[in-house]
Amino acid sequence: MDYLNNLASTFLDWKVIGEVLPSLFAVGLPNTLVLAVSSGIIGTALGMLLALMGISRNLVARWIARVYTDVFRGLPAILTILVISLGFGPGVRDLTGIASPYPMGVAALSLISAAYIGEIFRSGIQSVDKGQLEASRALGFGYGPAMRLIVVPQGVRRVLPALVNQFIALIKDSSLVFTLGLMASERELFQIGQDEASRSGNLSGYVAAGIFYLAMTIPLTHVVNLIDSRLRTGRAKNRGEKQEPDAAVAVVGKGAHS
């Protein structure tokens, strides 16, 4: 019984949680969202470029995309963040005068997510029946317009669940920028929880931060399920098939990486 009481007081000290909540709301949550959304947008743009390079007729472009993807998917995210931020950060700081490591954290997360998103887009585009491209060419479309207007939109629609899963992973990976020594106003959820744990000698700060992560990722997980269910239902209707009950159940947690 004493063990359970000690465990509860270590992880569920409501006084500590109440003290850290304002900082989590006012500083940690906005910074986590900025990191995830900004790197998600940049990573999506770079990922689409990588996907198009990966299916390009140009051998050099395909090799560049392949090497980039292999490198950034093969390295641990925290190692990539440290190498990019600590390696290139001083040079960027000298050129721009920006002392904060925050932009380099965004850049590192963007480059990492681009490798995964690029593979998601590439698989989606290549899953489109080649007859779509042939039919559009027969109607007078050039290769570029046919890909841009017909093939790519269909491929993107097919991988929407995987893209949302990747954004969930990006929210969690944003916690790794704490290694860069962010200023107090730049600290994300994990760093604030860690600071509170160090100050109070109690782990409830981590629990409070974890609750915020769950509040963001669990609804997004259900969004993945909903999108996947709608896509499956639409495909079954288009083929005139009767949808089996299990076909509407999406598998939760299969992101591009964890």
Side-chain angles (χ1 to χ4, degrees), residues 80-172:
T80 304
I81 291 172
L82 288 173
V83 168
I84 291 175
S85 300
L86 302 182
F88 295 95
V92 173
R93 186 164 55 248
D94 292 340
L95 290 174
T96 63
I98 299 175
S100 170
Y102 197 86
M104 296 305 298
V106 172
L109 288 173
S110 300
L111 294 174
I112 295 168
S113 63
Y116 291 92
I117 293 174
E119 283 297 282
I120 291 171
F121 279 143
R122 184 183 64 79
S123 63
I125 293 170
Q126 290 186 326
S127 71
V128 177
D129 191 281
K130 65 179 182 179
Q132 297 285 327
L133 179 60
E134 294 170 354
S136 59
R137 296 297 298 274
L139 291 173
F141 286 89
Y143 178 80
M147 291 292 294
R148 185 175 66 254
L149 299 174
I150 297 173
V151 178
V152 171
Q154 292 184 64
V156 171
R157 181 178 179 273
R158 295 184 178 195
V159 297
L160 284 177
L163 288 175
V164 179
N165 264 329
Q166 180 58 37
F167 184 67
I168 293 173
L170 198 51
I171 290 175
K172 294 183 289 184

Side-chain angles (χ1 to χ4, degrees), residues 1-248:
M1 198 55 144
D2 289 339
Y3 172 76
L4 294 178
N5 290 334
N6 290 334
L7 192 66
S9 63
T10 299
F11 289 97
L12 292 174
D13 188 321
W14 298 109
K15 181 182 177 181
V16 173
I17 292 176
E19 289 174 350
V20 76
L21 279 179
S23 296
L24 290 171
F25 266 116
V27 180
L29 182 60
N31 283 329
T32 295
L33 289 175
V34 167
L35 283 168
V37 173
S38 58
S39 56
I41 292 172
I42 297 171
T44 298
L46 291 176
M48 178 58 75
L49 177 61
L50 285 170
L52 294 177
M53 291 173 64
I55 61 175
S56 170
R57 297 172 175 175
N58 188 299
L59 179 62
V60 175
R62 291 202 306 273
W63 271 101
I64 292 174
R66 185 73 267 160
V67 170
Y68 179 99
T69 301
D70 287 345
V71 169
F72 281 94
R73 292 181 70 186
L75 292 174
I78 192 168
L79 178 60
T80 304
I81 291 172
L82 288 173
V83 168
I84 291 175
S85 300
L86 302 182
F88 295 95
V92 173
R93 186 164 55 248
D94 292 340
L95 290 174
T96 63
I98 299 175
S100 170
Y102 197 86
M104 296 305 298
V106 172
L109 288 173
S110 300
L111 294 174
I112 295 168
S113 63
Y116 291 92
I117 293 174
E119 283 297 282
I120 291 171
F121 279 143
R122 184 183 64 79
S123 63
I125 293 170
Q126 290 186 326
S127 71
V128 177
D129 191 281
K130 65 179 182 179
Q132 297 285 327
L133 179 60
E134 294 170 354
S136 59
R137 296 297 298 274
L139 291 173
F141 286 89
Y143 178 80
M147 291 292 294
R148 185 175 66 254
L149 299 174
I150 297 173
V151 178
V152 171
Q154 292 184 64
V156 171
R157 181 178 179 273
R158 295 184 178 195
V159 297
L160 284 177
L163 288 175
V164 179
N165 264 329
Q166 180 58 37
F167 184 67
I168 293 173
L170 198 51
I171 290 175
K172 294 183 289 184
D173 283 349
S174 67
S175 62
L176 298 176
V177 300
F178 84 95
T179 57
L180 305 182
L182 299 174
M183 295 185 292
S185 61
E186 300 172 336
R187 294 184 175 181
E188 34 65 53
L189 291 171
F190 175 80
Q191 181 68 71
I192 291 177
Q194 185 181 58
D195 290 345
E196 181 62 25
S198 300
R199 184 194 67 78
S200 65
N202 187 281
L203 300 181
S204 299
Y206 288 120
V207 174
I211 292 172
F212 275 79
Y213 283 113
L214 291 175
M216 289 186 287
T217 57
I218 289 177
L220 286 174
T221 299
H222 289 289
V223 169
V224 172
N225 293 344
L226 179 61
I227 293 174
D228 193 61
S229 177
R230 292 289 178 87
L231 291 177
R232 288 170 183 265
T233 303
R235 286 197 291 267
K237 288 181 178 179
N238 289 338
R239 291 194 300 262
E241 299 173 359
K242 181 180 178 181
Q243 187 187 18
E244 296 297 330
D246 289 344

